[in-house]
Amino acid sequence: MTPSASRSAASRPSEHTRRVAAATFVGTAIEWYDFNIYGAAAALIFAPQFFPNFSPVAATLAAFGTFAVGFLARPIGGIVFGHFGDRLGRKQTLVVSLLLMGIGTFLIALLPTYAQIGIAAPILLIVLRFVQGLGVGGEWGGAVLMAMEHAPEGQRGYYSSFPQMGLPAGTLLSNLVFLGVSVGLGREQFAAWGWRIPFVLSALLVVVALVVRLRLAESPEFARTRQRGRVRRLPALDVLRNNPGTVVLGMGITLAPSALGYLLSVYLLSYGTGTAHVPQQTMLLTISAGSVVYLVVAYLTGRVTDRIGAVRIFMVASVLSVLVPFAVFGLMDTGAVPAVLLAMLAMGLVLGLLVAVQAVIVSRAFSTDVRYTGASMSYQFGAVLGGGLTPLLAAAILGATGSSVWVAAYIAALALLSGVSVWFLPREAPDVTDGDALPAGAGDEPLHDGGAVRA
């Protein structure tokens, strides 16, 4: 076979590669459905159900505070699952993270309210939100690496966009389910008990994702790392020792996508219904429309990423991200449905550009032996600062200033930091599977007989 024919064959995806891409998309969509139905419930339901003795503003802040707890758990989940993902493999950690997320979400559906068990209700809500955060903290890194490390030659950007598309798909699904249940039951029944239905449906979706993921083979790049005896004993320690700047820059890149993502899926739902006086069902529909644009743009961006360049796309999207928040709040403040719809569509466009290339930019900055840990730490710590705190800080900023301009300025500042970070992030780490030397002081683990993972 000629060299050109070999390269052509290597660039063609196998049936299993396509199955991996589909599985990472479906699994991530379900994980983010779980994570985002909590956000929708926090914006619409949890304040009166779990914090009835608070003032309306304080209750909203408390509900968004429980939402932020999930983000505080995500870095812990990223470190723990990253450790085992870099030592034992990507596939096993993906299965466990999905189970953890599903169990936490299902138990929220069964949780009594403050009126039934008093202060124990919000405490248990916080605990279960923490469990959700642990699960999703391990999900992102594993899903992205399974897709990227199975990708054919020259198509890493495209295949790594599939799990990223799970984010808008999960948001869209959660909003449509909330909308369908609220319309079908009516406002009073939905507030009383109907909000639990979307959480119960999570159990069925998790079973589907588990069946799909259990059929996947391990990442071939991780398998080669095991075969070469390059598995790290303490990958988190190695990352912090050898790549602290890369982690910080990876966190910076995550700020804009996370902040804009949770602005769209969580905070604007509360802002639109409470401040702009847009009907709840209208807000759910317009956010769903924005999520559709987000999903389509992410797919189209993934298709061209390997030709245009991920960093170039992210830089352009970062500039747009500085400007878009001001336009979005200006449109939202009119209260007019066409203006609100246009705001959501603009959000979807910018998010699709950012998120489609974010995964490949952050992941390829770390070598295979510490990639799960390094990418997860970068993403999850950045998500805490950019996403988890955004609904809470946005509500606090609006309460303190009375102006959405300052909320927009806060989001724009995060976008600016992301644009600066991507400029300085290393483009590609040396790959230990190609025989590159490990950094000095790293603890390699010898490969025991029978320890190799078959791809």
Side-chain angles (χ1 to χ4, degrees), residues 174-216:
S174 64
N175 281 336
L176 290 178
V177 169
F178 253 87
L179 180 63
V181 173
S182 63
V183 170
L185 295 178
R187 189 176 184 87
E188 290 186 5
Q189 286 185 309
F190 176 72
W193 59 270
W195 62 269
R196 300 177 185 273
I197 294 176
F199 289 88
V200 173
L201 289 177
S202 165
L204 300 176
L205 297 174
V206 166
V207 171
V208 172
L210 278 174
V211 171
V212 173
R213 284 189 170 177
L214 287 170
R215 297 174 60 197
L216 301 180

Side-chain angles (χ1 to χ4, degrees), residues 1-14 17 147-159 220-221 224 303 306-307 360 434:
M1 183 180 291
T2 64
S4 60
S6 298
R7 286 192 298 270
S8 176
S11 65
R12 288 197 297 268
S14 66
T17 299
M148 190 180 83
E149 293 176 355
H150 275 91
E153 182 181 339
Q155 297 185 46
R156 279 188 162 195
Y158 173 50
Y159 277 88
E221 290 190 28
R224 288 194 295 271
R303 295 286 297 181
D306 296 296
R307 293 196 297 272
V360 71
D434 292 332

Side-chain angles (χ1 to χ4, degrees), residues 340-358:
V340 172
L341 177 60
L342 182 59
M344 299 303 107
L345 297 181
M347 289 281 290
L349 171 64
V350 174
L351 274 166
L353 293 170
L354 286 170
V355 170
V357 297
Q358 174 191 6

Side-chain angles (χ1 to χ4, degrees), residues 35 67-83 129-140 236 240 247 251 254 372-386 388:
F35 205 68
F67 176 78
V69 166
F71 282 84
L72 298 179
R74 282 173 60 173
I76 300 173
I79 293 171
V80 171
F81 283 99
H83 172 84
R129 181 58 175 174
F130 191 85
V131 171
Q132 275 194 322
L134 291 176
V136 82
E139 160 68 20
W140 182 85
L240 293 176
V247 172
M251 289 168 56
T254 304
Y372 201 139
T373 302
S376 293
M377 289 174 65
S378 298
Y379 182 83
Q380 303 303 347
F381 278 108
V384 171
L385 299 176

Side-chain angles (χ1 to χ4, degrees), residues 154-174:
Q155 297 185 46
R156 279 188 162 195
Y158 173 50
Y159 277 88
S160 66
S161 70
F162 276 87
Q164 294 295 85
M165 288 186 280
L167 277 68
T171 300
L172 178 61
L173 182 61
S174 64

Side-chain angles (χ1 to χ4, degrees), residues 19 62 94 194 203 245 251 264 357 394 404 428:
R19 191 186 308 141
L94 272 181
M251 289 168 56
L264 172 66
V357 297
S404 61
E428 189 87 36

